[in-house]
Structures are given as C-alpha cells and as structure tokens.
Amino acid sequence: VRKHFPRGLFSDGILRTGIALREGMAFLGRIAKPLRAAVLDGLLTNLSLLVGERIWFGEFFHFPAWSYGAIATVPALAVVGSMFFLGLYTRRKLSIARAIGGVLMGYIILSAMTFFFNQYAFSRMVVLLAGLISLFALPGWRLLSRTLFQSRHDHRRSLFGRRTLIVGAENSGQDLLRKLRTRVDDGYEGVGF
C-alpha cells in the first residue's frame, strides 16, 4: 500500500478510517450478541400471547385492530425488562432459573397492568395462558441451547470440570486457584502451575 500511496495525510487517513470502521464493527458485534437473546425473548412472548388468544377465543387476532400496537410491545417490554433487571442478558443468558424468574416477574407486572389500565384489559385469561406458555418457551430455548452448546464444546471436560493450567506459581497463581475453586458453577479443575 505504501508503494502506491506515499506516507502522508492521505495514507494516514485511510489507515485511521480502517481502524475506526473495525472498531465500530467490533462495538456493534458486542452489542448485537445480547440483543439477539432479548429479541428472541420478545418474539416468543408475542407468540405466546397469540397462542393464548387462539386457545381462549379459538381464533387469532380476536381483539380490536387498534390494540395490537400495545399488545405487541408492552408485554414483550415487560418480560424483556424483567429479564434484563435479573441480569439475563449478560454472561448468564442461558440461566434457566433467572429466565423463570424473569417470566414470572414480567407477567406479574402485566397482570397488574390489566387491573390499572382497564381500556387494555381485554382478557386476563389470555395473559394467564400466555404466561404459562412463556414459562415453558423462554427457559426452554435456553435449556435447548445449553444442551446443544455443551454437547459440542465440552468434550474436553473431566469429571470435576475443565482442566485448567495456571500460568504463574507465586502468590498470584495461588490466589487465582482459590478464586477458581470458589466458583464451582464455572467448572474449572486446576491441574497445575
């Protein structure tokens, strides 16, 4: 590149632009990863509302057409917001217990909203049915993903956890080993220094 573009303002600009683009793409990649789980949770929440409506009324889109804007956004925001509050879109995105807690918290908020906003309280039974469906669907995809993910990537695990070699032998290595042993759920087995 330098052979064709002499060092100067133009080549530095290209280099800086390339670095900025790469940095921007990496930032978007870091943001998009947790957003995928949140979007999937929102879609499954809306799908569970439609299925609950189908079960209770025997048809899809039984409610007035003007209400579907609120029906498509408020429940999804309540459930996804509850899950975000419980820390489910961080490194614990596959936590089944937190997903169950998030669904329960979200649908408690939704059922309270149907009492306070009577103009949108079309059917409390549909909310109950959708809550039950979501209680299986949202933790269910996490369980499925966890099962598929572990079966592919954890073939090198030992009986006690992932075999881990700690680089550093003095006090810092010993401290790291103690920290790893306190985090039992991560599954690290220190095999040496």
Side-chain angles (χ1 to χ4, degrees):
V1 172
R2 285 196 178 162
K3 183 169 69 172
H4 299 290
F5 296 108
R7 184 157 177 83
L9 185 62
F10 185 69
S11 63
D12 286 345
I14 291 175
L15 184 62
R16 288 179 195 269
T17 304
I19 291 171
L21 285 173
R22 173 66 180 113
E23 186 177 320
M25 289 174 58
F27 177 72
L28 288 175
R30 283 192 307 269
I31 290 174
K33 213 171 202 180
L35 282 180
R36 289 186 299 196
V39 167
L40 182 60
D41 287 337
L43 289 174
L44 286 175
T45 301
N46 285 336
L47 184 64
S48 67
L49 282 164
L50 284 175
V51 171
E53 184 179 6
R54 171 81 168 126
I55 291 171
W56 188 247
F57 292 113
E59 63 181 351
F60 291 111
F61 304 110
H62 174 78
F63 301 126
W66 58 267
S67 66
Y68 281 98
I71 289 173
T73 56
V74 174
L77 288 175
V79 172
V80 169
S82 299
M83 291 181 158
F84 177 78
F85 178 73
L86 292 176
L88 209 58
Y89 300 120
T90 59
R91 65 185 190 103
R92 295 184 182 105
K93 66 179 165 239
L94 295 180
S95 172
I96 295 167
R98 287 179 189 262
I100 291 171
V103 169
L104 290 175
M105 185 187 310
Y107 275 96
I108 287 172
I109 291 169
L110 283 176
S111 63
M113 289 174 76
T114 61
F115 285 104
F116 291 118
F117 299 107
N118 289 334
Q119 65 271 25
Y120 291 104
F122 300 113
S123 175
R124 291 179 180 99
M125 196 62 189
V126 170
V127 172
L128 179 67
L129 288 170
L132 290 174
I133 294 168
S134 292
L135 200 57
F136 289 102
L138 274 63
W141 81 258
R142 286 172 168 80
L143 179 64
L144 182 66
S145 176
R146 204 182 210 183
T147 304
L148 293 174
F149 181 73
Q150 282 182 347
S151 67
R152 271 192 309 183
H153 296 293
D154 285 349
H155 59 278
R156 287 182 284 172
R157 276 188 149 190
S158 70
L159 180 61
F160 301 106
R162 288 186 204 107
R163 296 171 45 106
T164 306
L165 179 66
I166 299 172
V167 178
E170 298 289 323
N171 292 335
S172 62
Q174 296 293 332
D175 289 340
L176 181 61
L177 180 62
R178 267 186 248 118
K179 287 179 184 178
L180 289 176
R181 285 184 178 163
T182 60
R183 300 181 72 175
V184 178
D185 60 335
D186 287 342
Y188 291 104
E189 175 194 2
V191 294
F193 291 96

PDB file of all heavy atoms in Angstrom, residues 33-55:
ATOM      1  N   LYS A  33     -24.784  -9.224  20.287  1.00  0.00           N
ATOM      2  CA  LYS A  33     -24.838 -10.555  20.885  1.00  0.00           C
ATOM      3  C   LYS A  33     -25.926 -10.659  21.957  1.00  0.00           C
ATOM      4  O   LYS A  33     -26.772 -11.544  21.890  1.00  0.00           O
ATOM      5  CB  LYS A  33     -23.469 -10.917  21.446  1.00  0.00           C
ATOM      6  CG  LYS A  33     -23.162 -12.363  21.355  1.00  0.00           C
ATOM      7  CD  LYS A  33     -21.728 -12.612  21.726  1.00  0.00           C
ATOM      8  CE  LYS A  33     -21.296 -13.923  21.137  1.00  0.00           C
ATOM      9  NZ  LYS A  33     -19.935 -14.239  21.450  1.00  0.00           N
ATOM     10  N   PRO A  34     -25.952  -9.770  22.971  1.00  0.00           N
ATOM     11  CA  PRO A  34     -27.036  -9.874  23.949  1.00  0.00           C
ATOM     12  C   PRO A  34     -28.394  -9.471  23.376  1.00  0.00           C
ATOM     13  O   PRO A  34     -29.425  -9.930  23.845  1.00  0.00           O
ATOM     14  CB  PRO A  34     -26.640  -8.928  25.077  1.00  0.00           C
ATOM     15  CG  PRO A  34     -25.437  -8.215  24.653  1.00  0.00           C
ATOM     16  CD  PRO A  34     -24.956  -8.800  23.381  1.00  0.00           C
ATOM     17  N   LEU A  35     -28.396  -8.638  22.350  1.00  0.00           N
ATOM     18  CA  LEU A  35     -29.668  -8.225  21.760  1.00  0.00           C
ATOM     19  C   LEU A  35     -30.375  -9.380  21.062  1.00  0.00           C
ATOM     20  O   LEU A  35     -31.596  -9.401  20.997  1.00  0.00           O
ATOM     21  CB  LEU A  35     -29.446  -7.078  20.772  1.00  0.00           C
ATOM     22  CG  LEU A  35     -29.245  -5.706  21.376  1.00  0.00           C
ATOM     23  CD1 LEU A  35     -29.044  -4.671  20.280  1.00  0.00           C
ATOM     24  CD2 LEU A  35     -30.400  -5.308  22.265  1.00  0.00           C
ATOM     25  N   ARG A  36     -29.618 -10.338  20.565  1.00  0.00           N
ATOM     26  CA  ARG A  36     -30.245 -11.493  19.914  1.00  0.00           C
ATOM     27  C   ARG A  36     -31.119 -12.250  20.889  1.00  0.00           C
ATOM     28  O   ARG A  36     -32.245 -12.632  20.561  1.00  0.00           O
ATOM     29  CB  ARG A  36     -29.188 -12.420  19.328  1.00  0.00           C
ATOM     30  CG  ARG A  36     -28.493 -11.866  18.126  1.00  0.00           C
ATOM     31  CD  ARG A  36     -27.575 -12.865  17.527  1.00  0.00           C
ATOM     32  NE  ARG A  36     -26.553 -13.231  18.509  1.00  0.00           N
ATOM     33  CZ  ARG A  36     -25.425 -13.846  18.229  1.00  0.00           C
ATOM     34  NH1 ARG A  36     -25.167 -14.181  16.994  1.00  0.00           N
ATOM     35  NH2 ARG A  36     -24.554 -14.129  19.162  1.00  0.00           N
ATOM     36  N   ALA A  37     -30.631 -12.459  22.108  1.00  0.00           N
ATOM     37  CA  ALA A  37     -31.421 -13.165  23.119  1.00  0.00           C
ATOM     38  C   ALA A  37     -32.642 -12.346  23.514  1.00  0.00           C
ATOM     39  O   ALA A  37     -33.735 -12.893  23.688  1.00  0.00           O
ATOM     40  CB  ALA A  37     -30.558 -13.470  24.339  1.00  0.00           C
ATOM     41  N   ALA A  38     -32.493 -11.025  23.637  1.00  0.00           N
ATOM     42  CA  ALA A  38     -33.623 -10.165  24.014  1.00  0.00           C
ATOM     43  C   ALA A  38     -34.682 -10.151  22.911  1.00  0.00           C
ATOM     44  O   ALA A  38     -35.884 -10.202  23.203  1.00  0.00           O
ATOM     45  CB  ALA A  38     -33.130  -8.751  24.308  1.00  0.00           C
ATOM     46  N   VAL A  39     -34.256 -10.090  21.658  1.00  0.00           N
ATOM     47  CA  VAL A  39     -35.212 -10.101  20.545  1.00  0.00           C
ATOM     48  C   VAL A  39     -35.942 -11.442  20.493  1.00  0.00           C
ATOM     49  O   VAL A  39     -37.163 -11.487  20.305  1.00  0.00           O
ATOM     50  CB  VAL A  39     -34.495  -9.799  19.209  1.00  0.00           C
ATOM     51  CG1 VAL A  39     -35.370 -10.110  18.017  1.00  0.00           C
ATOM     52  CG2 VAL A  39     -34.045  -8.353  19.182  1.00  0.00           C
ATOM     53  N   LEU A  40     -35.225 -12.534  20.692  1.00  0.00           N
ATOM     54  CA  LEU A  40     -35.864 -13.852  20.699  1.00  0.00           C
ATOM     55  C   LEU A  40     -36.866 -13.961  21.846  1.00  0.00           C
ATOM     56  O   LEU A  40     -37.971 -14.478  21.656  1.00  0.00           O
ATOM     57  CB  LEU A  40     -34.810 -14.956  20.795  1.00  0.00           C
ATOM     58  CG  LEU A  40     -35.347 -16.389  20.772  1.00  0.00           C
ATOM     59  CD1 LEU A  40     -36.114 -16.655  19.482  1.00  0.00           C
ATOM     60  CD2 LEU A  40     -34.212 -17.372  20.937  1.00  0.00           C
ATOM     61  N   ASP A  41     -36.510 -13.445  23.022  1.00  0.00           N
ATOM     62  CA  ASP A  41     -37.445 -13.465  24.149  1.00  0.00           C
ATOM     63  C   ASP A  41     -38.687 -12.635  23.850  1.00  0.00           C
ATOM     64  O   ASP A  41     -39.809 -13.039  24.170  1.00  0.00           O
ATOM     65  CB  ASP A  41     -36.761 -12.947  25.414  1.00  0.00           C
ATOM     66  CG  ASP A  41     -35.759 -13.936  25.983  1.00  0.00           C
ATOM     67  OD1 ASP A  41     -35.881 -15.143  25.697  1.00  0.00           O
ATOM     68  OD2 ASP A  41     -34.855 -13.496  26.711  1.00  0.00           O
ATOM     69  N   GLY A  42     -38.510 -11.464  23.236  1.00  0.00           N
ATOM     70  CA  GLY A  42     -39.658 -10.636  22.877  1.00  0.00           C
ATOM     71  C   GLY A  42     -40.558 -11.308  21.857  1.00  0.00           C
ATOM     72  O   GLY A  42     -41.795 -11.271  21.970  1.00  0.00           O
ATOM     73  N   LEU A  43     -39.947 -11.936  20.857  1.00  0.00           N
ATOM     74  CA  LEU A  43     -40.743 -12.641  19.843  1.00  0.00           C
ATOM     75  C   LEU A  43     -41.501 -13.824  20.444  1.00  0.00           C
ATOM     76  O   LEU A  43     -42.676 -14.051  20.113  1.00  0.00           O
ATOM     77  CB  LEU A  43     -39.847 -13.115  18.703  1.00  0.00           C
ATOM     78  CG  LEU A  43     -39.301 -12.030  17.789  1.00  0.00           C
ATOM     79  CD1 LEU A  43     -38.304 -12.627  16.790  1.00  0.00           C
ATOM     80  CD2 LEU A  43     -40.425 -11.325  17.068  1.00  0.00           C
ATOM     81  N   LEU A  44     -40.850 -14.565  21.325  1.00  0.00           N
ATOM     82  CA  LEU A  44     -41.528 -15.703  21.964  1.00  0.00           C
ATOM     83  C   LEU A  44     -42.645 -15.240  22.891  1.00  0.00           C
ATOM     84  O   LEU A  44     -43.672 -15.909  23.016  1.00  0.00           O
ATOM     85  CB  LEU A  44     -40.520 -16.567  22.717  1.00  0.00           C
ATOM     86  CG  LEU A  44     -39.611 -17.422  21.844  1.00  0.00           C
ATOM     87  CD1 LEU A  44     -38.567 -18.137  22.683  1.00  0.00           C
ATOM     88  CD2 LEU A  44     -40.428 -18.431  21.054  1.00  0.00           C
ATOM     89  N   THR A  45     -42.465 -14.089  23.532  1.00  0.00           N
ATOM     90  CA  THR A  45     -43.533 -13.529  24.370  1.00  0.00           C
ATOM     91  C   THR A  45     -44.739 -13.164  23.517  1.00  0.00           C
ATOM     92  O   THR A  45     -45.876 -13.475  23.873  1.00  0.00           O
ATOM     93  CB  THR A  45     -43.018 -12.299  25.138  1.00  0.00           C
ATOM     94  OG1 THR A  45     -41.917 -12.674  25.948  1.00  0.00           O
ATOM     95  CG2 THR A  45     -44.096 -11.702  26.010  1.00  0.00           C
ATOM     96  N   ASN A  46     -44.502 -12.510  22.385  1.00  0.00           N
ATOM     97  CA  ASN A  46     -45.613 -12.164  21.491  1.00  0.00           C
ATOM     98  C   ASN A  46     -46.271 -13.402  20.907  1.00  0.00           C
ATOM     99  O   ASN A  46     -47.492 -13.461  20.766  1.00  0.00           O
ATOM    100  CB  ASN A  46     -45.132 -11.232  20.382  1.00  0.00           C
ATOM    101  CG  ASN A  46     -44.909  -9.833  20.875  1.00  0.00           C
ATOM    102  OD1 ASN A  46     -45.487  -9.414  21.878  1.00  0.00           O
ATOM    103  ND2 ASN A  46     -44.062  -9.096  20.197  1.00  0.00           N
ATOM    104  N   LEU A  47     -45.470 -14.389  20.559  1.00  0.00           N
ATOM    105  CA  LEU A  47     -46.026 -15.631  20.027  1.00  0.00           C
ATOM    106  C   LEU A  47     -46.875 -16.336  21.080  1.00  0.00           C
ATOM    107  O   LEU A  47     -47.945 -16.874  20.771  1.00  0.00           O
ATOM    108  CB  LEU A  47     -44.894 -16.548  19.546  1.00  0.00           C
ATOM    109  CG  LEU A  47     -45.315 -17.846  18.888  1.00  0.00           C
ATOM    110  CD1 LEU A  47     -46.075 -17.568  17.590  1.00  0.00           C
ATOM    111  CD2 LEU A  47     -44.108 -18.708  18.607  1.00  0.00           C
ATOM    112  N   SER A  48     -46.435 -16.320  22.327  1.00  0.00           N
ATOM    113  CA  SER A  48     -47.226 -16.956  23.390  1.00  0.00           C
ATOM    114  C   SER A  48     -48.540 -16.219  23.607  1.00  0.00           C
ATOM    115  O   SER A  48     -49.561 -16.847  23.912  1.00  0.00           O
ATOM    116  CB  SER A  48     -46.415 -17.033  24.685  1.00  0.00           C
ATOM    117  OG  SER A  48     -46.184 -15.750  25.204  1.00  0.00           O
ATOM    118  N   LEU A  49     -48.546 -14.891  23.437  1.00  0.00           N
ATOM    119  CA  LEU A  49     -49.809 -14.152  23.520  1.00  0.00           C
ATOM    120  C   LEU A  49     -50.763 -14.549  22.397  1.00  0.00           C
ATOM    121  O   LEU A  49     -51.968 -14.718  22.621  1.00  0.00           O
ATOM    122  CB  LEU A  49     -49.543 -12.650  23.489  1.00  0.00           C
ATOM    123  CG  LEU A  49     -49.063 -12.044  24.794  1.00  0.00           C
ATOM    124  CD1 LEU A  49     -48.474 -10.670  24.565  1.00  0.00           C
ATOM    125  CD2 LEU A  49     -50.201 -11.980  25.788  1.00  0.00           C
ATOM    126  N   LEU A  50     -50.231 -14.703  21.189  1.00  0.00           N
ATOM    127  CA  LEU A  50     -51.082 -15.132  20.070  1.00  0.00           C
ATOM    128  C   LEU A  50     -51.624 -16.541  20.274  1.00  0.00           C
ATOM    129  O   LEU A  50     -52.794 -16.819  19.992  1.00  0.00           O
ATOM    130  CB  LEU A  50     -50.305 -15.054  18.759  1.00  0.00           C
ATOM    131  CG  LEU A  50     -50.114 -13.670  18.174  1.00  0.00           C
ATOM    132  CD1 LEU A  50     -49.213 -13.728  16.948  1.00  0.00           C
ATOM    133  CD2 LEU A  50     -51.452 -13.052  17.813  1.00  0.00           C
ATOM    134  N   VAL A  51     -50.781 -17.435  20.788  1.00  0.00           N
ATOM    135  CA  VAL A  51     -51.235 -18.807  21.038  1.00  0.00           C
ATOM    136  C   VAL A  51     -52.264 -18.826  22.168  1.00  0.00           C
ATOM    137  O   VAL A  51     -53.273 -19.542  22.102  1.00  0.00           O
ATOM    138  CB  VAL A  51     -50.028 -19.728  21.345  1.00  0.00           C
ATOM    139  CG1 VAL A  51     -50.478 -21.087  21.823  1.00  0.00           C
ATOM    140  CG2 VAL A  51     -49.156 -19.863  20.112  1.00  0.00           C
ATOM    141  N   GLY A  52     -52.039 -18.017  23.210  1.00  0.00           N
ATOM    142  CA  GLY A  52     -53.017 -17.918  24.296  1.00  0.00           C
ATOM    143  C   GLY A  52     -54.350 -17.379  23.798  1.00  0.00           C
ATOM    144  O   GLY A  52     -55.421 -17.840  24.216  1.00  0.00           O
ATOM    145  N   GLU A  53     -54.295 -16.415  22.897  1.00  0.00           N
ATOM    146  CA  GLU A  53     -55.512 -15.864  22.291  1.00  0.00           C
ATOM    147  C   GLU A  53     -56.229 -16.934  21.460  1.00  0.00           C
ATOM    148  O   GLU A  53     -57.458 -17.047  21.500  1.00  0.00           O
ATOM    149  CB  GLU A  53     -55.123 -14.668  21.431  1.00  0.00           C
ATOM    150  CG  GLU A  53     -56.253 -13.925  20.819  1.00  0.00           C
ATOM    151  CD  GLU A  53     -55.772 -12.746  19.992  1.00  0.00           C
ATOM    152  OE1 GLU A  53     -54.544 -12.570  19.807  1.00  0.00           O
ATOM    153  OE2 GLU A  53     -56.637 -12.008  19.510  1.00  0.00           O
ATOM    154  N   ARG A  54     -55.453 -17.714  20.738  1.00  0.00           N
ATOM    155  CA  ARG A  54     -56.034 -18.793  19.915  1.00  0.00           C
ATOM    156  C   ARG A  54     -56.682 -19.862  20.794  1.00  0.00           C
ATOM    157  O   ARG A  54     -57.762 -20.363  20.487  1.00  0.00           O
ATOM    158  CB  ARG A  54     -54.938 -19.398  19.043  1.00  0.00           C
ATOM    159  CG  ARG A  54     -55.336 -20.640  18.310  1.00  0.00           C
ATOM    160  CD  ARG A  54     -56.100 -20.292  17.063  1.00  0.00           C
ATOM    161  NE  ARG A  54     -56.232 -21.484  16.243  1.00  0.00           N
ATOM    162  CZ  ARG A  54     -57.386 -21.941  15.815  1.00  0.00           C
ATOM    163  NH1 ARG A  54     -58.492 -21.309  16.083  1.00  0.00           N
ATOM    164  NH2 ARG A  54     -57.429 -23.022  15.097  1.00  0.00           N
ATOM    165  N   ILE A  55     -56.027 -20.205  21.893  1.00  0.00           N
ATOM    166  CA  ILE A  55     -56.580 -21.226  22.796  1.00  0.00           C
ATOM    167  C   ILE A  55     -57.863 -20.727  23.444  1.00  0.00           C
ATOM    168  O   ILE A  55     -58.864 -21.451  23.495  1.00  0.00           O
ATOM    169  CB  ILE A  55     -55.539 -21.614  23.866  1.00  0.00           C
ATOM    170  CG1 ILE A  55     -54.376 -22.387  23.235  1.00  0.00           C
ATOM    171  CG2 ILE A  55     -56.174 -22.440  24.980  1.00  0.00           C
ATOM    172  CD1 ILE A  55     -53.201 -22.611  24.176  1.00  0.00           C
TER     173      ILE A  55
END
